[in-house]
Amino acid sequence: MSNYNDDGWEPVTRLGRKVQEGEIDDMETALNSGLPLKEPELVDQLLPGLDDEVLDINMVQRMTDSGRRVKFRCVVVVGNRDGYVGYAEGRDDQVGSAIQKAIGIAKLNMIKVPRGSGSWEDRSDRPHSLTRRTSGKAGSVEVDVIPAPEGLGLAASDTVRHVLELAGLENVWTKSHGNTRTTVNLAKATFNALENASQSRQPQQRGRQDEAEVADQ
């Protein structure tokens, strides 16, 4: 588990100041504010105790004028196991730094997953599954996530299961198509499916963060 919380955090964005001043005190309000999420510390304050899971670590080599350059690419998912999840890839010369970079970016990609009991076979009042079927794509991989009745569990591969668990889903069917041995695309397609479900219920859509930059808004 990683923690970006720092008692000395000084927000540099409008959203960060609203959170620190108590004007915004929950993650859903922050995501629906229309303001870009650019500070990992903000997420730590609203969602303390996030769990993270490293799904893949790969060595990436490329040739430059000065010779061969090696970097590590880490694929990470973060979540509170209660409806909020984020996904990102991070690159750095050192594995540890790549993981920390990915965790920070994943926090900026946080979404709220619409949980409920969307299976026609289920009559539970508990939000243990999705409200409806959803799908997502990444590269050649497509993942369908389908509401399932309570008691089924997560019918998914390990990579997909990690993403679903950190989102707080307990019972779903999944179907995967394409080159599912590519962990990065499988994880990203799963996250994209959850993001598609999230955006379908929220009129306001937040722009995705592609890198962990901090700028005043």
Side-chain angles (χ1 to χ4, degrees), residues 22-75:
E23 188 177 336
I24 291 178
D25 59 4
D26 67 85
M27 197 67 203
E28 184 171 13
T29 303
L31 293 178
N32 290 336
S33 68
L35 298 171
L37 187 56
K38 292 193 173 185
E39 296 179 84
E41 300 89 346
L42 179 161
V43 179
D44 285 322
Q45 190 150 323
L46 296 178
L47 295 174
L50 283 174
D51 289 338
D52 57 69
E53 187 80 37
V54 178
L55 301 178
D56 190 52
I57 299 176
N58 239 325
M59 190 167 66
V60 181
Q61 299 185 46
R62 67 186 182 92
M63 291 300 297
T64 66
D65 292 340
S66 57
R68 191 183 303 276
R69 184 134 185 229
V70 175
K71 282 199 171 189
F72 294 93
R73 183 192 68 192
C74 295
V75 178

Side-chain angles (χ1 to χ4, degrees), residues 125-200:
D125 294 326
R126 204 170 62 83
H128 63 89
S129 188
L130 285 173
T131 55
R132 67 173 188 85
R133 179 174 183 154
T134 184
S135 63
K137 291 188 70 174
S140 69
V141 179
E142 184 170 2
V143 174
D144 297 320
V145 187
I146 307 158
E150 198 157 20
L152 177 83
L154 296 175
S157 66
D158 287 344
T159 297
V160 174
R161 185 182 297 112
H162 285 313
V163 179
L164 300 178
E165 284 177 342
L166 287 179
L169 297 174
E170 300 170 36
N171 302 282
V172 295
W173 281 293
T174 64
K175 294 179 181 178
S176 303
H177 317 277
N179 186 10
T180 57
R181 288 176 298 177
T182 309
T183 301
V184 58
N185 283 345
L186 186 58
K188 190 172 184 180
T190 305
F191 177 75
N192 286 344
L194 298 181
E195 185 175 43
N196 288 338
S198 171
Q199 291 181 345
S200 70

Side-chain angles (χ1 to χ4, degrees), residues 3 5 28 44 57 81 87 95 100 115 167 174 205 217:
N3 194 350
N5 237 343
E28 184 171 13
D44 285 322
I57 299 176
R81 302 182 188 273
Y87 165 91
V95 173
Q100 289 305 313
R115 296 182 302 159
T174 64
Q205 296 186 11
Q217 300 300 315

